[in-house]
Every structure is written in structure tokens, then in C-alpha cells.
Amino acid sequence: MKFATKAIHAGQHPDPATGAIMTPIFQTSTYAQSGVGEHKGFEYARTGNPTRSALEDCIAALENGSYGLAFASGMAAEQAVLSQLSAGDHLLSCDDLYGGTYRMFESVMRRYNVETSYVIAGSSADYERALRPNTKLIWLETPTNPLLRLVDIRAIAEVAHRYHILLVVDNTFSSPYFQRPLDLGADIVLHSTTKYINGHSDVIGGALVMKDEQLYQALKFYQNAAGGVPGPFDAWLTLRGIKTLALRMRQHEENARIVARFLLEHLRVEKVYYPGLPSHPDHELAKRQMSGFGGMVSFQLKGTLSDVDTLVRRCKVFTFAESLGGVESLVCHPASMTHSSIPQNIREARGLTDTLLRLSIGIEDSEDLLLDLEQALG
Ligand code: P1T
């Protein structure tokens, strides 16, 4: 099946009891068992729920994986991956990444004696040089949050596997519509399904997808042991959102290209970050690794923090808010919002300055988006 068909049908079948086309919301915490060790495949809803299973199977199909696991948030999915590490292990990560992920590495995992080091916008050779004898996991986000740099998944997967290291790719910014890391050699794909996968800014969720059965069993064990699972209604809403993923991603991208070109020409804009622009340092890699450039655009405003404040207050169609990937356009100030947990000196060294703004381009009419930005930029 092709992507748009899988988005609508994978993991979902008419309900055998009633014929209902839509997967029911199995709002139950437990299941009747007929005798000792005899049941219909479901015992307790932390362990399994049919609405959640449909979501897990659907996301797995979209990522060309064999197994999916759904979580209560993207961070809960991250924690499940990190649970595969032990005290004394080393984690190697790209340096531009979601502030909450950095916080998890530095403020949580470090206390368990798992050290993380970061590679600055590097090639696979840079990753290979940064490996240590105790490196057990390589963590990539691509495109990165918020600077939209790309990392070569295929080349780094080759390095990771040569050294028997697991490779996880956070595919939140691209969505499986534009990029499928398992096809490029990654071991685990991670999503904050809060973003494009659900797409309607009304659910917090996360997911993992993999091909390897042993890895699936280990992560499934942790999912049940720790219990960070989504409720059935959130699983159902996310399934409903996924049905339009292909349509939405096409429109996000079309609008993002228009906005990126507009910003590039604007006198009040210092620099635009969008992988679809030929001037982007990773444009060639983006063309090779992704089938489109996505819906996120970041830019540096000429001016000061106070000019940034004026701009976000003037926006009418864009809403000043954290998060991304919903149908509505958002503007975010990473330094004070999504990336504020990164110390200022490290943030600025990474190019994440006070005048950086991140746009999540929605699927509104692009003319309205340009008019709004024009008046907000003044
Ligand atoms: O918010 P949650 O569903 O727990 O997902 C965390 C997460 C993981 N990975 C990436 C790449 C993310 O961007 C996020 C969450 N990001 C935001 C809330 C944000 O506005 O960037």
C-alpha cells in the first residue's frame, strides 16, 4: 500500500462485533478473563488496549517498521529509549535538538551516570571521532529543532552498526511522509506525535517504531513496566489525525516554501533557515534524504529582543505559542520557550540567539500568512 492509503487503513479494520468503520474507543482499564491464563489477548490496559494497538500498528506501517509503541508523550517515548542504557554508558547526540531532550540528558540521565556528548552539525566522520569505548546509543534529530540542520542518517547508521551501537532518529520535524529513517538504517524512530502525526494541537503523545523483534520486546517491556501509555481517547484522536497526514504535509510544505522565500527577501530579516532553500548548508542532503522539506521555518530578526517582543505581539494569524505541526500557524521564541532549559552560553554558542524565531507553518491560505508576517514585521 502507498503512504496515503496506509495512513487511512493500516492497523484498522471494521469492528467485528458491530461493523463500525472507525476503531472504537475502548475506554476500559481491564478485561474479563474466562479462566486461569485464558483471555482474548488483553488483560490490563497499561499492558494493552485495542485502540492503542491500532495506533501503534498504523504508525509502524507509515515508518516501514515492524513494530510500534505508543506513549503518553514524546518525552515518555524518549525515556523508554534511554531505559536501554545502564550507568557508565555514553550517549552521543547531535548538538541542535529540542530543549526538553537536552534537559533529559543533562538533568536526569547524568544523575544515573549516563554521560552525553554532542557533535556540532557534523559529518559521519565527526560522529565516528566522537565515539568512546562505552558509547551505546547515537541520538539524532533531523531536521533539528530549531535550526533545521540535517544529519546524514545513512552514513551515521553505517558508523553506528560497525561499532554495534544503537541509532535512534527523532523524526518529529519531518514526519514519515517526508522521511523514513528505518529505510536509511536507523534502529529506532521516535516521534512526538503531539506534532504532525496528530496534527490538530489537541493531544500530547509519543511513539517508537522499530524492525528488530528483540529490541521491540525490550521496549515493550519498559512501556508496561513504567506505564507512560496514552489513554484510549488520545490514541483515537491521534488515529483520526493521521488519516489526513499526507494531505496536511503537502500543504504545510507548500506554505513553508512560500513563507521562506518571502522572509529571504525581507529587509528586517537577517537570516532564514529552511532546508528547501538552495542557500541552506544541508540542501543537497535534504534532497537526497527527504522527499520534501517540511513545514518548519526559522529566522533571525534584525534588531533586539524588544523587536522580537513587538513582532510576536502584532501577529494575528500566527499564534505565539510553543509546539508545532498543527494545522494552525505558530510562532515560537526558542530562547525563552522551547529551549530555555539550555544554559544561555551553550544556547548562544549553538546559534540559538535571542533574535531567533521559529515558525510552524500551518495549512491556512498562504496569502493570509504573508499578510500577517508583513504587518507584524512592520
Ligand atoms: O512534547 P512531547 O510530546 O513530550 O515531545 C517532546 C519532543 C520530542 N522531540 C522533538 C523534536 C520535539 O520537538 C518535542 C517537543 N517539542 C516542542 C514542544 C517544541 O515546541 O519544540
Side-chain angles (χ1 to χ4, degrees):
M1 270 194 267
K2 298 271 199 255
F3 189 93
T5 316
K6 288 199 266 190
I8 292 166
H9 295 289
Q12 296 152 84
H13 316 279
D15 178 42
T18 61
I21 288 279
M22 289 300 135
T23 304
I25 304 167
F26 286 92
Q27 193 73 40
T28 187
S29 61
T30 191
Y31 308 84
Q33 306 191 23
S34 42
V36 176
E38 210 178 299
H39 52 75
K40 296 187 164 68
F42 293 96
E43 300 154 84
Y44 185 61
R46 169 161 38 75
T47 317
N49 176 286
T51 319
R52 191 173 96 212
S53 301
L55 173 64
E56 293 176 333
D57 292 349
C58 186
I59 297 178
L62 294 181
E63 285 288 2
N64 289 343
S66 310
Y67 306 98
L69 290 166
F71 292 87
S73 66
M75 294 314 301
E78 293 193 9
Q79 191 55 47
V81 175
L82 294 169
S83 77
Q84 302 305 298
L85 299 175
S86 304
D89 286 349
H90 169 247
L91 163 62
L92 186 61
S93 170
C94 54
D95 77 321
D96 188 39
L97 80 174
Y98 171 52
T101 306
Y102 177 86
R103 179 175 56 199
M104 175 66 85
F105 293 165
E106 295 301 324
S107 305
V108 180
M109 296 310 289
R110 203 170 275 279
R111 284 199 291 116
Y112 293 92
N113 196 22
V114 170
E115 199 188 332
T116 306
S117 61
Y118 302 89
V119 176
I120 302 168
S123 67
S124 59
D126 297 319
Y127 278 81
E128 186 165 5
R129 264 192 298 277
L131 292 179
R132 298 179 190 173
N134 58 339
T135 307
K136 291 284 159 55
L137 182 65
I138 298 180
W139 192 288
L140 303 180
E141 236 182 57
T142 180
T144 62
N145 180 2
L147 291 173
L148 301 164
R149 292 301 306 261
L150 266 75
V151 197
D152 190 333
I153 300 173
R154 193 187 289 282
I156 294 171
E158 195 273 314
V159 170
H161 295 152
R162 199 150 20 95
Y163 292 88
H164 307 289
I165 294 169
L166 273 184
L167 174 65
V168 57
V169 176
D170 186 331
N171 201 25
T172 299
F173 264 44
S174 160
S175 93
Y177 183 70
F178 287 129
Q179 173 175 276
R180 285 178 292 280
L182 296 179
D183 291 350
L184 301 168
D187 299 294
I188 306 174
V189 176
L190 185 148
H191 279 283
S192 167
T193 55
T194 312
K195 312 298 182 324
Y196 288 110
I197 297 244
N198 176 59
H200 295 74
S201 305
D202 48 14
V203 176
I204 295 285
L208 299 177
V209 180
M210 60 245 89
K211 285 185 169 163
D212 184 77
E213 203 210 328
Q214 231 179 323
L215 188 55
Y216 166 69
Q217 292 301 350
L219 292 163
K220 165 95 190 139
F221 174 86
Y222 182 84
Q223 181 199 43
N224 181 51
V229 294
F233 185 51
D234 283 359
W236 183 86
L237 277 173
T238 307
L239 263 179
R240 183 165 80 158
I242 289 178
K243 290 185 192 294
T244 54
L245 183 61
L247 277 176
R248 285 188 281 111
M249 292 316 297
R250 286 199 280 271
Q251 196 60 43
H252 283 298
E253 193 202 30
E254 188 182 313
N255 285 356
R257 283 177 191 243
I258 293 169
V259 168
R261 279 198 294 267
F262 165 84
L263 290 173
L264 202 58
E265 304 281 299
H266 204 285
L267 292 174
R268 293 215 46 215
V269 172
E270 183 78 47
K271 190 168 178 193
V272 183
Y273 306 84
Y274 183 62
L277 293 172
S279 57
H280 187 282
D282 305 317
H283 181 62
E284 289 308 314
L285 174 58
K287 284 202 290 193
R288 209 164 63 235
Q289 177 162 285
M290 304 171 72
S291 57
F293 304 109
M296 298 298 296
V297 180
S298 295
F299 69 98
Q300 298 277 358
L301 187 71
K302 277 185 194 154
T304 62
L305 182 59
S306 135
D307 298 315
V308 166
D309 186 57
T310 307
L311 186 151
V312 298
R313 283 175 195 275
R314 279 188 189 154
C315 285
K316 292 190 174 67
V317 180
F318 280 83
T319 304
F320 184 45
E322 303 202 18
S323 204
L324 60 115
V327 288
E328 67 293 312
S329 292
L330 301 179
V331 53
C332 161
H333 181 237
S336 67
M337 296 163 94
T338 49
H339 292 70
S340 59
S341 52
I342 303 177
Q344 190 176 3
N345 58 330
I346 298 179
R347 219 170 48 219
E348 290 190 350
R350 292 176 177 188
L352 231 153
T353 61
D354 277 353
T355 51
L356 180 77
L357 285 165
R358 188 190 76 184
L359 304 177
S360 173
I361 306 299
I363 62 169
E364 300 96 335
D365 193 303
S366 59
E367 258 181 58
D368 290 322
L369 298 182
L370 294 192
L371 283 173
D372 195 37
L373 287 173
E374 182 68 68
Q375 66 81 25
L377 283 161

